[in-house]
Amino acid sequence: MADSTDSSSVLHHKAHDLLNLIEALNHSGSRLEDQFWEDQLNQTVQLLLDDVDSLILEQLLDYLATTSQSDLYDILASLIESIAESAVLSHQGQDYHVLLVTAPITTWTRYQLPEGILSHTQHEKLLSLVKDYASPQAKVALLGQLLSFDQLPKSFAQTQALCKQLGQLALAAQPATIEIDQRDDGINLLADTKFIVSAIAVPVGSPLFAWQQQSDPVQAMRCAQEQWQIQCEAILSTMFAGCQSHYLPPNGYFYNNRMSDKYMRPLALKAAVQWLATVMHKEPKDLTATIARCGDHHTEEFRIGLSVQDQKEILYGCVWPIFSKEEVDLSSPHYQDNATEIQNLLTELGVESILFLAGLFTPEFCDDCEAPSFPTTEGELQHPYLPEDLHFTPDALH
């Protein structure tokens, strides 16, 4: 474990208190002592989550990550997420457990992605679908719009605030009319995740999902997930016309965030290659893909720069994020050969010129627009630019 004596002095005093509790839990030698420290941690984390503007938890996680204290990071991250995506609310004299639930839709298109505002009919059908997916005792509220990543809560405290808001609406059987900021940044994404967001509230001690009450819960869960994809696609097919989409089943907020991230990696690369080939009036075989490992101390992401063969300028790019050190650790059972996966995917898309750069590059971003820089065939990171006379705004289909 890294020595935190000096470098932790920059932390807020509340973060220091939390760090001490995590270290105590990490050194516990019995389940009973574990439970004692976990209770203390739960109370401390909840107090920090009650302040919607606080970023102390995020700052402490950043500190643990940058000081390579992975054991403490994992303990804290798991604890914070479990508390932030849930709440205990009282209604008519009874206590309810509330879970913030999402059902991600990973999608890509050659056109423009839909905004995600649900019609009354779509909302009612999705609400009924989530109710069927949940246990019979559950009360459900569902947002009237699909959210993009940049519309999701920006902090743990905001995540729990949304959980409580939706949970209260579910218990009161009121429409989920929560104002969510609309994206208005002029960016036309070709691949993104849209989230169906809901809250499921059940009496304390009751199951959340319908399959939990079946004699073979795993088989019942698989059947429910298959039906979800079929039924959800039927409800939203008109909204996602012209898109290739995958409908992930409902699950806890943070778990499904990670699952959607993994599904998005190949979709984003597919969208980038096919869109660039289209706007440049080229075939994928006419493009060159240059791939670099990027990170401060280890591989944190792959950046793929796309250019036309025999030209130096980077026209477009795609980031392939790494979600844990284990993913790129050859000795880990969770190792994934991302480089081979990227190469195979590019080959399947028709790209014939693929170049991997040696070494680890420091990730660079534009000072003005904060866009990532992408590798050139000459081994430099460069801001991508499309020709000024090119019409590159995706056509609207919806």
Side-chain angles (χ1 to χ4, degrees), residues 217-235:
V218 175
Q219 181 59 31
M221 177 188 67
R222 289 172 179 163
C223 290
Q225 291 175 344
E226 291 173 2
Q227 287 302 306
W228 171 270
Q229 294 184 49
I230 295 169
Q231 295 169 329
C232 193
E233 184 175 14
I235 295 170

Side-chain angles (χ1 to χ4, degrees), residues 101-104 129-130 133 198 200 209 211 225 228 248-252 256:
V101 171
T102 65
L129 197 58
V130 176
Y133 200 83
S198 62
I200 298 177
F209 300 109
W211 68 77
Q225 291 175 344
W228 171 270
L248 279 73
N251 217 319
N256 261 356

Side-chain angles (χ1 to χ4, degrees), residues 49-292:
L49 289 174
D50 289 339
D51 181 359
V52 179
D53 298 321
S54 174
L55 293 175
I56 291 175
L57 294 172
E58 286 79 5
Q59 291 165 355
L60 180 53
L61 283 175
D62 287 343
Y63 162 74
L64 292 175
T66 55
T67 54
S68 301
Q69 300 185 70
S70 58
D71 49 354
L72 301 188
Y73 179 95
D74 291 342
I75 293 172
L76 179 61
S78 177
L79 179 69
I80 294 173
E81 289 181 359
S82 65
I83 299 175
E85 68 183 7
S86 64
V88 177
L89 300 177
S90 295
H91 180 69
Q92 295 181 348
Q94 185 170 12
D95 287 342
Y96 287 81
H97 275 145
V98 180
L99 179 67
L100 185 62
V101 171
T102 65
I105 305 165
T106 55
T107 184
W108 73 279
T109 181
R110 297 181 184 182
Y111 304 97
Q112 288 184 13
L113 293 176
E115 288 296 324
I117 303 299
L118 298 172
S119 68
H120 176 74
T121 300
Q122 288 171 328
H123 181 267
E124 289 300 310
K125 287 183 177 180
L126 284 177
L127 179 60
S128 177
L129 197 58
V130 176
K131 286 180 177 178
D132 290 341
Y133 200 83
S135 69
Q137 305 97 317
K139 298 178 184 294
V140 178
L142 185 137
L143 281 183
Q145 67 184 95
L146 308 182
L147 301 188
S148 299
F149 264 116
D150 59 357
Q151 293 173 303
L152 295 175
K154 300 298 188 293
S155 69
F156 293 116
Q158 292 173 7
T159 300
Q160 190 178 64
L162 177 60
C163 174
K164 289 180 177 179
Q165 281 181 289
L166 278 176
Q168 290 165 348
L169 293 171
L171 293 172
Q174 295 179 352
T177 53
I178 298 175
E179 292 294 328
I180 303 293
D181 290 339
Q182 296 295 316
R183 181 174 60 216
D184 188 23
D185 51 18
I187 296 176
N188 294 290
L189 295 177
L190 300 173
D192 198 6
T193 302
K194 299 290 186 179
F195 293 87
I196 300 170
V197 181
S198 62
I200 298 177
V202 295
V204 170
S206 299
L208 281 163
F209 300 109
W211 68 77
Q212 292 177 258
Q213 296 176 294
Q214 302 301 314
S215 57
D216 187 346
V218 175
Q219 181 59 31
M221 177 188 67
R222 289 172 179 163
C223 290
Q225 291 175 344
E226 291 173 2
Q227 287 302 306
W228 171 270
Q229 294 184 49
I230 295 169
Q231 295 169 329
C232 193
E233 184 175 14
I235 295 170
L236 297 175
S237 59
T238 55
M239 177 180 287
F240 287 93
C243 302
Q244 294 191 24
S245 305
H246 181 79
Y247 297 81
L248 279 73
N251 217 319
Y253 178 85
F254 290 104
Y255 174 85
N256 261 356
N257 274 7
R258 284 188 285 271
M259 290 300 296
S260 63
D261 280 341
K262 291 182 179 180
Y263 272 96
M264 273 306 301
R265 292 191 299 195
L267 294 186
L269 184 53
K270 286 181 181 180
V273 169
Q274 296 208 2
W275 177 76
L276 182 60
T278 299
V279 299
M280 293 299 295
H281 305 291
K282 301 286 186 181
E283 296 295 326
K285 65 181 178 62
D286 301 319
L287 302 179
T288 293
T290 306
I291 305 161

